[in-house]
Amino acid sequence: MKFATKAIHAGVQPDEATGAIMTPIYQTSTYVQDGVGGHKGYEYSRTLNPTRHALEKNIAALENARFGAAFSSGLAAIDCVIKMLQPGDEVISTNDLYGGTYRLFTTIFAKYGIRFQFVDMSNPETIEAFVTDKTKLIWVETPTNPMMNIIDIEAVAQIAKKAGAMLAVDNTFATPYLQNPIDLGADIVMHSATKYLGGHSDVVMGILVTDNEEISKEMYRIQNSTGAVTAPMDSFLVLRGIKTLHLRMQRHCENGEKVARFLAAHPKVEKVYWPGFETHPNHDIAKKQMRGFGGMISFSLKGNKLEDAHKIVKKVKIFALAESLGGVESLVGHPATMTHASIPKAAREKIGIVDSLIRLSVGIEDADDLIADLEQALR
Ligand SMILES: *Cc1c(COP(=O)(O)O)cnc(C)c1O
């Protein structure tokens, strides 16, 4: 089955009891058994719930894999991956990383004896110098947030394999519509479903997908043992969101390109970060591993003044000033003082998050209106 058909049909079927075409919201904690052990596959909703189960099967299919698990947030999904490790294990992570992931690694798990190294992976060979016999996980985010760097998943997968380490890819920005890391050799795919999968800025949720049976057993064991599961109502909302993921992503990509080209031609703009430009340092890899370039764009201003960036994010009228991304509506953010404020200034600037950097999540409104909005704000 192709993507659009899977997005709508994978994992879901008419309700057996009533014929309801939409997966019911099974708002229940427990399930009546005929006799001890006589259940229909569901015993208790932390372990498994039918609405969540439908979503888990659906998203696994979209990533061309067998096993999916849904969590109460993207960070809870990442938390599950790190809990597969032991004290003393080492993780090599992308250095240009979602701020919350960096905080989880450095302020929660580091104190349990797991060692994290943050590496610029734009040239994957750099990773090899950091591999030791304790390296158990390589963590990749691509495109990166907010610098839109592209990491060659296939090349990193080869390094991970050689090192005997798992490769996990945060696929939040690309979504399975644009990129399938497991097809490129990754062991685990992670999503903040809060973003494009949900797509309507009304849910916080995380997803893990794997095609490795052994990893899936650990994933489900940890999901059930630590209990950060997502709710039936939220599972329903994300299932509903995914039914239009392909249509939304097509428009995000079209609008993203138009806005990126407008910004690149604007005299007040210093630099535009968008992987669709041929001048982007990893454009060739983006073209190879992605089916489109998405609607996430960052740009910096001539003169690099924080006040100018703050003025622009205040002046825009259609773009809403808010954290998060991936919804139907366009958002604008200022990484240095918002999403990435938890990363120390020096570390931030080293990866390019300068004071004037502005990040856009280009929505699916009319592109002409979005460009006119940016035009007046820049003026
Ligand atoms: C938002 C986000 C996360 C964290 O997900 P939550 O659902 O907010 O917990 C992780 N990675 C990326 C790339 C994100 O954008």
Side-chain angles (χ1 to χ4, degrees), residues 14 35 56 128 155 307 312 319 353:
E56 291 175 339
E128 273 167 346
E307 309 85 79
I312 286 168
F319 282 87
I353 306 176

Side-chain angles (χ1 to χ4, degrees), residues 200-242:
H200 297 75
S201 308
D202 50 10
V203 175
V204 173
M205 187 191 291
I207 298 281
L208 294 180
V209 174
T210 182
D211 199 47
N212 179 312
E213 195 157 358
E214 226 170 286
I215 293 174
S216 81
K217 282 185 187 149
E218 268 303 89
M219 174 176 81
Y220 291 127
R221 191 181 70 82
I222 296 166
Q223 183 192 35
N224 185 43
S225 303
T226 62
V229 293
T230 195
M233 177 73 193
D234 290 1
S235 300
F236 171 86
L237 285 170
V238 172
L239 259 178
R240 179 157 100 158
I242 287 174

Side-chain angles (χ1 to χ4, degrees), residues 9 11-24 26:
H9 295 288
V12 300
Q13 56 198 36
D15 180 43
E16 278 180 22
T18 63
I21 192 161
M22 282 301 124
T23 309
Y26 285 93

Side-chain angles (χ1 to χ4, degrees), residues 12 41 52 67 74 104 128 170 174 187 194 201-202 204 208 213 233 241 247-248 251 254 282 297 310 328 338 340:
V12 300
R52 191 181 96 212
F67 311 104
L104 177 67
E128 273 167 346
D170 182 336
D187 301 291
T194 314
S201 308
D202 50 10
V204 173
L208 294 180
E213 195 157 358
M233 177 73 193
L247 299 177
R248 289 186 284 110
R251 181 60 75 84
E254 282 168 26
N282 288 110
I297 300 166
H310 275 186
V328 291
M338 291 169 71
H340 291 65

Side-chain angles (χ1 to χ4, degrees), residues 43 56 72 75 83 163 224 278 291-292 308 313 345 358 366:
E43 296 168 80
E56 291 175 339
S72 54
L75 287 177
K83 282 174 178 158
N224 185 43
E278 271 169 31
R291 290 178 283 268
D308 289 345
V313 300
K345 187 173 161 82
I358 294 171
D366 193 291

